[in-house]
Amino acid sequence: MSPGGPAGRVEAYLAGLREGGPMHWTLIDPDKSPGERAAGIARGAVELGTHAILLGGSTGISRAVIGPTSAAVKAAVRVPAIIFPEGAGSLTPEADAVLFMSLLNSRDLDLVIRAHARAATSIRSMGLEPIPTGYVVVAPGMRVGEVGRVDAVARDDPATAVGFALAAEMLGMRFVYLEAGSGAPRPVPAAMVRAVREATRVTLIVGGGIRSGRDARPLLGAGADVLVTGTVTEEEGLGEGYRTILEEVHRVRAR
Ligand code: 1GP
């Protein structure tokens, strides 16, 4: 596994997938679904066509849980296991990569860059591939908006989202994640996704509040490269909502 550089193995894999159209990543919270339970969800999710497994949650995850859960997921599926971190405690060498995210619209410098500086040396020595990501929280923001001490981007203010995304791109980040917050009543507005898509070339990740194919369709139409879902699987398993999201993603890929 490449320890990083311009594009490690996971990033190259994602770039290859992106050429074929949008992707879907399944977020699993190892505290709610540890070990074999996560592996079972991952197996079913990959059968339905998800392209990566994100491991993380909005409350601190201990290494004792994230390590064995990453290992179980990796043994179960061939898609990358990527950590979606809330801090250095959620890092493990058992995963393939970590979304190395700067929470760009936080008032807390720890979440913008200081925690990253503290974690960078151990990420390198673990051999975890960092995926350079600008993380932008859009209203309502939910829990990450609160714990992240965020000045959330207003839903009717795509220009501010474009500013953050363009700044991230200019700083060399290759991914931007527009986040409405886990469990948000509505996803990021499609008009905002479209504005960011038109202004940047980054790989554009959109998450928060996507519960069905109906939610997914306008985001895909607006140019999202990656849809992330977590709550829908936690609440309904790999049921109707989840399946219709995957159908939408694969319908666009088949074009
Ligand atoms: C959370 O964007 C992800 O960080 C997923 O959100 O749980 O609402 O699917 P949901």
Side-chain angles (χ1 to χ4, degrees):
M1 189 63 55
S2 160
R9 211 169 88 180
V10 173
E11 202 176 323
Y13 162 85
L14 296 173
L17 271 174
R18 187 188 180 203
E19 308 223 324
M23 287 169 255
H24 176 270
W25 298 351
T26 300
L27 173 63
I28 300 174
D29 184 339
D31 278 331
K32 293 180 184 153
S33 306
E36 282 307 316
R37 217 168 125 187
I41 297 169
R43 217 176 275 118
V46 169
E47 273 169 24
L48 290 171
T50 201
H51 300 99
I53 303 297
L54 282 189
L55 293 168
S58 49
T59 50
I61 295 164
S62 66
R63 198 166 294 174
V65 175
I66 189 96
T69 301
S70 283
V73 166
K74 281 194 63 175
V77 296
R78 296 173 64 99
V79 303
I82 304 172
I83 297 171
F84 180 70
E86 325 83 49
S90 44
L91 299 173
T92 171
E94 301 288 350
D96 295 307
V98 56
L99 285 188
F100 198 63
M101 307 191 298
S102 172
L103 181 43
L104 298 176
N105 55 337
S106 175
R107 296 183 299 279
D108 183 347
L109 265 184
D110 255 19
L111 302 178
V112 179
I113 188 63
R114 286 180 180 162
H116 311 64
R118 289 195 295 272
T121 304
S122 60
I123 288 175
R124 179 54 49 91
S125 61
M126 281 179 191
L128 260 181
E129 179 182 333
I131 298 183
T133 306
Y135 192 39
V136 181
V137 174
V138 176
M142 310 304 281
R143 190 166 155 74
V144 70
E146 286 166 32
V147 300
R149 297 182 57 207
V150 151
D151 290 326
V153 177
R155 299 178 62 83
D156 61 354
D157 185 9
T160 295
V162 167
F164 277 114
L166 205 46
E169 182 175 69
M170 289 172 176
L171 283 165
M173 297 173 186
R174 296 183 287 276
F175 293 70
V176 167
Y177 191 145
L178 294 179
E179 169 75 271
S182 186
R186 282 176 301 156
V188 171
M192 188 177 283
V193 173
R194 186 178 305 280
V196 172
R197 170 76 297 141
E198 286 172 359
T200 69
R201 301 169 54 125
V202 295
T203 298
L204 181 53
I205 308 168
V206 179
I210 304 168
R211 291 163 182 270
S212 66
R214 230 174 113 178
D215 292 333
R217 185 180 289 213
L219 302 171
L220 295 168
D225 292 305
V226 182
L227 300 186
V228 177
T229 65
T231 300
V232 70
T233 336
E234 273 163 25
E235 291 184 352
E236 308 166 18
L238 303 172
E240 180 73 9
Y242 184 86
R243 284 166 196 265
T244 58
I245 295 163
L246 266 297
E247 279 166 19
E248 287 296 324
V249 169
H250 283 279
R251 202 172 53 78
V252 179
R253 289 186 71 81
R255 268 188 207 147

